Amino acid sequence: EASIPLIQAAGWTDFMVCQIGCPYISAARSMMLRKALDAKADVVVFIDHDLSWEPENLLKLIETEGDVVAGTYRFKGEPEEYMGALFQGIGGVPIVREDGCIKAHSIPAGFLKVTRQGVNKFIDAYPELTYGEKCAPMIDLFNHGVMEHTWYGEDYAFAKRWIAKCGDIWII
């Protein structure tokens, strides 16, 4: 709620969509994505209901360069550990952009930005993950399950597919 005035002051138009009563996370996110695309959103941010952040962090996520940018957050418990995994560069050093973003190979989807352009890249790369009307398809960005003999949750499955065919993922 405290992020909204900052987003509006930066010139963004904001709105929120919810999906209540669907127990399947990938289906619920797919339905919310369709609603956002129908409203002509250029940027879609997926936020889990149990997260909190500093008001300026949502604007920072929205305005950070890249089709897929995640804000990481810690697991609920001790020791203090954060979700996601980083690419390791030369000598095991993470790859960091000038703006401080760190290249990742796995990210949580609870504070995640995906651009409209990114959704189009994903559809081109994975047409088998679209369903419904062809004129306004649903896109299962977060289709989870077994890939290459390993079971992936919805966020890590999305990251694996994105990196394989669409581009880089960044954590801010």
Side-chain angles (χ1 to χ4, degrees):
E1 183 174 306
S3 296
I4 301 303
L6 300 173
I7 291 168
Q8 292 171 346
W12 292 91
T13 301
D14 65 281
F15 63 94
M16 182 179 90
V17 298
C18 296
Q19 186 63 44
I20 299 169
C22 179
Y24 305 109
I25 188 86
S26 70
R29 287 186 177 160
S30 178
M31 289 182 257
M32 289 186 293
L33 177 61
R34 178 75 264 151
K35 291 174 186 178
L37 295 173
D38 288 345
K40 306 296 184 217
D42 292 321
V43 173
V44 178
V45 177
F46 294 92
I47 301 175
D48 284 357
H49 77 282
D50 60 346
L51 292 184
S52 61
W53 59 92
E54 296 299 320
E56 63 276 4
N57 291 350
L58 183 55
L59 179 61
K60 185 173 187 176
L61 179 69
I62 291 167
E63 293 188 337
T64 297
E65 181 182 331
D67 287 324
V68 176
V69 180
T72 191
Y73 41 91
R74 63 179 287 189
F75 287 99
K76 293 174 177 59
E78 297 299 329
E80 185 173 324
E81 294 179 281
Y82 290 81
M83 295 184 185
L86 308 177
F87 267 108
Q88 302 299 311
I90 298 170
V93 177
I95 300 165
V96 182
R97 293 190 320 204
E98 270 187 30
D99 63 359
C101 284
I102 304 169
K103 190 173 180 180
H105 69 75
S106 302
I107 44 91
F111 200 67
L112 176 67
K113 173 188 97 168
V114 180
T115 66
R116 184 179 200 89
Q117 180 180 348
V119 172
N120 284 326
K121 284 182 191 177
F122 192 89
I123 291 169
D124 287 345
Y126 299 99
E128 70 277 11
L129 294 178
T130 62
Y131 62 101
E133 287 191 84
K134 291 183 183 185
C135 64
M138 305 285 271
I139 305 96
D140 193 4
L141 289 180
F142 301 99
N143 182 272
H144 59 283
V146 176
M147 295 188 305
E148 300 170 8
H149 306 285
T150 301
W151 193 93
Y152 288 87
E154 78 282 349
D155 40 13
Y156 283 24
F158 166 70
K160 183 171 180 55
R161 286 187 181 98
W162 180 266
I163 291 167
K165 294 186 179 181
C166 301
D168 295 330
I169 291 178
W170 299 95
I171 291 177
I172 187 69

